[in-house]
Structures are given as C-alpha cells and as structure tokens.
Amino acid sequence: MTLTVSAAPPTERRPFAVLAVLTDIAYGVSLPLVLLLAWESSSRFGWLPQQILPAPQVVWATLVDLWSDGSLADHTLQSLKRVAIGFATGALLGLLAGAALGLLPRVRAFVWPVFSAIAQVNMLAWLPLLVLFIGIDEELKYVSIAWATAIPVILATTRAITDVSPKLLELGRVLDFTPLQRVSSIVLPAALPSLFTGLREGLASAWQNMVIVELFASFEGLGYLMVWGRQLFQLEIVIAAMIVIAAIGLALNASLEYLERFVQPWKTEADREH
C-alpha cells in the first residue's frame, strides 16, 4: 500500500501567503515607527535642542515648503539626471570590462592586480586628482558617479563569470556550442543573479557618491541642498534632504529588484514553490 501526499491547493495556501506578507510589512515598519516616536519624544520633552534636532513637524513643513516653491523638485531632478548618466555609463563599461576579465584569463592575469589595488581606494580620495584633470563642472559629477558604479559591477561580473561551473562549460563543448552560444546559453544565465547583485551595489554606490560629489563641488542637487541648509544652520533643510535621498534610494533599489524578477522568471517561480 502506497501513501501519497498531496500539496495544499492554492486556495488553502493563499491565506498563509497573505499573512506572511502582512507580517513582513509589520516588521518592516516597526523600527521606523519606533525611531519616529523617539524623535517626537526628544522634541516634545527637550532631550535635544531644536537647533540640533528639529521637530518632525518642522521637517515636514520644510518639505512641503521646498516642494511648493519648486526648489526640491529642481534639486531632485538634477541629482537624478547625474545619477542616470553616471550609472548608465559606469554599468555599461563595468559589464564590458568584467566580461573581458571573466572570459579572458590572460587579460585577467594582466589587469586584475592593478584593478584590485585601485578598487581599494575610496572614490572620495580620487576627487582632488579628478578636479585637477576635469575641473568642477558637470563632467566631474558624471565621471565620479560612473567610476563609483563601475567598480562593484566589474568585481561582480568577473566573479560571476569565473564561478560558472566547469561542468556546464564542458557540456557546451560536448554539444559543440560556438563561443557565442556558450556565453549566451550557459555563462549568462548562470551568472545573471550575481550580475544583478553587482548592478544593485553599483546603483547604491552611484547614489551615495552623487551626494558626496555634490557636497564637494556643486551649486544644485540634493547634496548642495544639504550644504545650503548647513550653511544657514537650518538643520530641518538638511534632514529634509536626507529623507528625500533615502526614499529615492529605496525606490531605485526596489525598481532594480523588480527588473531582476522580470528578467529571471524562473527564480520567481522557484521562490513561490518554497
């Protein structure tokens, strides 16, 4: 006599899935709510002076004012433009360079030691040299953001390609695949998850370095808005800009995660089964 175990029908599993999603949302908002409550308590009971930590209501009113007069939208669009150009350039160059390093062992042996040393130096340390060669105009922002993007993308792409299972590559040889077929049918699908990890890290680095370079040399953008608020000693402007930077950073990361699920439908199906 054989026993068969049938999986629960989708209608029975759906309530548990909804409950899991609601639980994740509750966990996700709990810490921000606690921090907001602590911030409000500090303002109400005077734990910190208003000049150091303005009340949440003051920061919200500042956000509304900056949006109403159009300055917040102008600074945000300028920052997004810089990140879009810098990230697109850095990601493309990073993918090409990482592919060359991963697919060509001789190129990797020649370039990798120098590249590894360069990757250890923070982008902020390169800014004085870049200013000497490029100046402080828009080109500096684009080059800095592209550089910050390319480093993690190159690292992730190279490792993703070199970590492809040799058995899969041998299967391609047995099937008499051309080099292009091996790359498109074997290497790329196997390396895709790591490639998107590198792109997410590159996007996060691009967004963070956008703020740094705008703090360093800029007259518009969210980073400049923070500098302007600090110079006026209006920390509510600084905090408002920080909130906008954090919110956009989360939205950009979520967008890239959605694109990853769209490009890798098999991964989404596997996650649903588990």
Side-chain angles (χ1 to χ4, degrees), residues 60-237:
W60 175 253
T62 302
L63 276 170
V64 173
D65 291 340
L66 291 173
W67 179 260
S68 299
D69 63 18
S71 59
L72 181 59
D74 292 339
H75 289 300
T76 301
L77 289 175
Q78 184 62 37
S79 295
L80 287 173
K81 174 187 172 184
R82 289 166 176 163
V83 169
I85 295 175
F87 173 74
T89 304
L92 178 60
L93 295 177
L95 289 172
L96 293 175
L101 292 172
L103 295 172
L104 304 174
R106 291 184 180 179
V107 174
R108 184 167 65 252
F110 181 71
V111 175
W112 190 256
V114 175
F115 171 74
S116 298
I118 293 175
Q120 303 307 313
V121 182
N122 189 276
M123 184 64 239
L124 186 60
W126 293 102
L127 281 178
L129 289 177
L130 291 177
V131 169
L132 292 177
F133 289 99
I134 303 175
I136 60 172
D137 294 330
E138 285 300 299
E139 291 78 8
L140 174 66
K141 286 79 169 175
Y142 298 145
V143 171
S144 302
I145 295 170
W147 190 322
T149 301
I151 296 297
V153 173
I154 292 173
L155 291 172
T157 304
T158 303
R159 290 169 181 166
I161 294 175
T162 55
D163 288 344
V164 175
S165 174
K167 294 181 180 179
L168 292 176
L169 298 176
E170 183 62 28
L171 177 62
R173 297 187 186 96
V174 171
L175 296 175
D176 200 24
F177 281 4
T178 65
L180 182 58
Q181 287 175 326
R182 286 200 294 269
V183 171
S184 61
S185 301
I186 297 176
V187 175
L188 184 58
L192 207 54
S194 296
L195 292 182
F196 269 99
T197 299
L199 288 174
R200 286 202 305 271
E201 293 177 356
L203 182 58
S205 181
W207 189 243
Q208 293 165 6
N209 279 272
M210 176 275 300
V211 177
I212 292 175
V213 76
E214 287 184 348
L215 288 171
F216 183 78
S218 182
F219 297 100
E220 52 187 344
L222 292 171
Y224 169 74
L225 188 61
M226 295 176 62
V227 174
W228 183 59
R230 179 183 60 81
Q231 291 174 343
L232 297 176
F233 209 73
Q234 295 180 359
L235 295 189
E236 61 271 16
I237 297 178

Side-chain angles (χ1 to χ4, degrees), residues 229-270:
R230 179 183 60 81
Q231 291 174 343
L232 297 176
F233 209 73
Q234 295 180 359
L235 295 189
E236 61 271 16
I237 297 178
V238 177
I239 297 175
M242 291 172 61
I243 292 173
V244 174
I245 290 170
I248 295 177
L250 287 175
L252 291 175
N253 183 70
S255 300
L256 206 52
E257 287 182 348
Y258 176 80
L259 178 61
E260 181 180 4
R261 290 195 298 269
F262 179 78
V263 174
Q264 302 179 86
W266 61 86
K267 182 179 178 182
T268 304
E269 294 297 329

